[in-house]
Amino acid sequence: MNLFICSRKQRNIRKLSDFLRDEVENLFISPINNETIDRIYKKQPDIIILDVCGRVCWKMLEKITRAPSLREIPVILILGRKNKKTIENIKRICNFEVFDYVTEPFLKCEILMKINKAKEIVELKKDFSRLLTKDPLTGAYQRGFLMERINEELQWCNLYKEPLTIAMFDIDFFKKINDTFGHQTGDKVLMELIYLAHSSLPDRALVGRYGGEEFCILLPGTDENLAMEVLEAFREKVEKNDFYTFKGEKIKITISIGFTTYFCEDESSVDEIIQKADLALYRAKQSGRNRVIL
Ligand code: GH3
Ligand code: MG
Ligand code: MG
Ligand code: MG
């Protein structure tokens, strides 16, 4: 269980780390500033405790509860000592999908009780979402979930004026792998390829199975130049990687990648954006394969 604490108050940071040090496996503590959100993306916590103190914290709460890949994380808020302002704050948090809150001075048993409740829900959700959203062979997201997520990421881009890169990749001459080594080895290669994708792409990247051996990568907050770098590094990693058959024979594969970067200004739909990336993939195939094309 990973717990992420954001607080600007030293007193509360000390208190929470005393309370929780021996109770959760991984405890991350962060001040509240411009890098907090990136830190949360990186750590992918199961639960977030946000100590609400001032305007930046409300902004932070808004981001955490709305970001497509963070908003499922239960957030427990810490509010100041009960007074008139606390009442206002409680009314205010009703506008967000907050899991629960405590008010200062909070007790160890109180905060633990809320964390344990959140934990139960997190575990249930994890089981369900694995079953409902992931492709059982590769662990990549299924197409339906992928399309929904692209839609949400587009809305996020428009709201926060961030670019979004969508890439499509497809294994080169994969039929040959199946024909030469059998479908089971083909499956194993797919599995290992997506493992490689997850381990080499940035933390915020999302990999989905679009169909067959064609996959989609979402790179939120990534412009064309950075996307080219990230995708080229991934392509190269695949080219250099040794895959193996069940008998231990070495197999080499390459992939072709096409991508497009969406900026909040243009009004493209999910279908149009996918079509653009797909067209770029087609051009990557036409122009010789094993390359990244924008
Ligand atoms: P290229 O993409 O470079 O044009 O050539 P290709 O040989 O890879 O051609 P294509 O993408 O059209 O063919 C994909 C093949 O991938 C056909 C299909 O049998 C195989 N395939 C699709 N899904 C799976 C799967 O889940 N497991 C295995 N083993 N093979 C799959
Ligand atoms: Mg093809
Ligand atoms: Mg192919
Ligand atoms: Mg294909």
Side-chain angles (χ1 to χ4, degrees):
M1 179 65 46
N2 299 337
L3 183 76
F4 195 100
I5 298 171
C6 328
S7 176
R8 308 166 83 186
K9 293 183 188 159
Q10 278 312 314
R11 173 169 45 95
N12 283 347
I13 290 177
R14 260 199 310 277
K15 197 168 160 185
L16 286 166
S17 25
D18 273 355
F19 284 177
L20 301 174
R21 215 182 356 247
D22 301 325
E23 307 288 343
V24 294
E25 286 130 53
N26 295 306
L27 192 63
F28 306 110
I29 296 169
S30 166
I32 297 177
N33 53 33
N34 287 338
E35 281 91 56
T36 312
I37 280 282
D38 284 335
R39 246 177 254 135
I40 296 176
Y41 275 120
K42 210 170 177 61
K43 298 294 181 193
Q44 288 288 316
D46 298 298
I47 301 167
I48 296 171
I49 294 181
L50 174 62
D51 191 358
V52 178
C53 167
R55 237 170 63 92
V56 273
C57 301
W58 289 103
K59 277 253 169 283
M60 182 69 57
L61 178 62
E62 189 180 305
K63 275 204 155 181
I64 295 170
T65 52
R66 292 203 175 138
S69 52
L70 301 181
R71 58 145 205 253
E72 293 289 326
I73 304 174
V75 180
I76 299 169
L77 297 182
I78 294 174
L79 301 177
R81 238 165 244 282
K82 261 218 166 97
N83 56 30
K84 225 175 169 177
K85 191 143 175 259
T86 315
I87 306 293
E88 283 311 306
N89 284 343
I90 292 173
K91 283 187 194 157
R92 200 167 167 189
I93 60 175
C94 293
N95 298 320
F96 298 96
E97 283 195 32
V98 164
F99 180 77
D100 210 339
Y101 68 89
V102 292
T103 47
E104 291 181 62
F106 50 89
L107 304 172
K108 179 174 178 178
C109 59
E110 188 185 6
I111 194 100
L112 268 183
M113 179 181 75
K114 309 218 166 181
I115 289 174
N116 285 332
K117 269 194 197 152
K119 225 156 124 177
E120 276 176 31
I121 289 179
V122 165
E123 267 149 23
L124 270 177
K125 272 192 175 172
K126 271 190 184 165
D127 288 344
F128 270 115
S129 79
R130 236 194 317 275
L131 284 174
L132 294 175
T133 62
K134 298 273 178 84
D135 160 44
L137 176 69
T138 61
Y141 285 102
Q142 289 179 16
R143 187 170 170 152
F145 177 86
L146 179 74
M147 303 303 271
E148 251 175 59
R149 179 51 74 85
I150 295 175
N151 216 344
E152 289 168 356
E153 291 286 0
L154 287 181
Q155 288 169 28
W156 175 260
C157 284
N158 293 335
L159 198 60
Y160 290 99
K161 311 286 173 238
E162 277 189 4
L164 171 70
T165 289
I166 291 158
M168 290 290 209
F169 71 93
D170 181 291
I171 305 175
D172 299 327
F173 304 120
F174 191 54
K175 271 193 213 99
K176 232 194 252 166
I177 302 280
N178 277 332
D179 292 347
T180 316
F181 303 103
H183 210 267
Q184 271 186 328
T185 291
D187 282 357
K188 185 167 175 280
V189 169
L190 283 180
M191 241 162 64
E192 287 172 10
L193 172 65
I194 299 312
Y195 179 81
L196 200 62
H198 283 133
S199 59
S200 57
L201 291 167
D203 295 310
R204 269 181 86 178
L206 189 143
V207 182
R209 190 169 187 179
Y210 191 67
E213 35 82 87
E214 187 169 342
F215 294 86
C216 179
I217 303 170
L218 294 191
L219 296 167
T222 309
D223 65 15
E224 290 172 1
N225 293 333
L226 182 59
M228 186 50 107
E229 244 174 69
V230 164
L231 295 169
E232 179 53 29
F234 173 50
R235 184 207 59 75
E236 197 181 316
K237 212 153 189 179
V238 174
E239 187 180 15
K240 289 197 171 139
N241 190 67
D242 294 333
F243 296 85
Y244 290 94
T245 66
F246 287 101
K247 287 188 208 148
E249 299 155 283
K250 193 169 26 175
I251 305 176
K252 300 300 281 185
I253 64 166
T254 58
I255 54 171
S256 298
I257 307 179
F259 76 95
T260 181
T261 299
Y262 171 87
F263 290 101
C264 44
E265 314 87 63
D266 56 56
E267 297 265 312
S268 326
S269 68
V270 175
D271 287 341
E272 283 166 345
I273 289 167
I274 292 214
Q275 211 176 10
K276 268 193 199 165
D278 221 17
L279 212 68
L281 169 59
Y282 177 76
R283 280 190 276 117
K285 293 278 186 190
Q286 289 299 304
S287 57
R289 294 181 171 77
N290 191 24
R291 65 196 61 202
V292 184
I293 296 270
L294 168 62

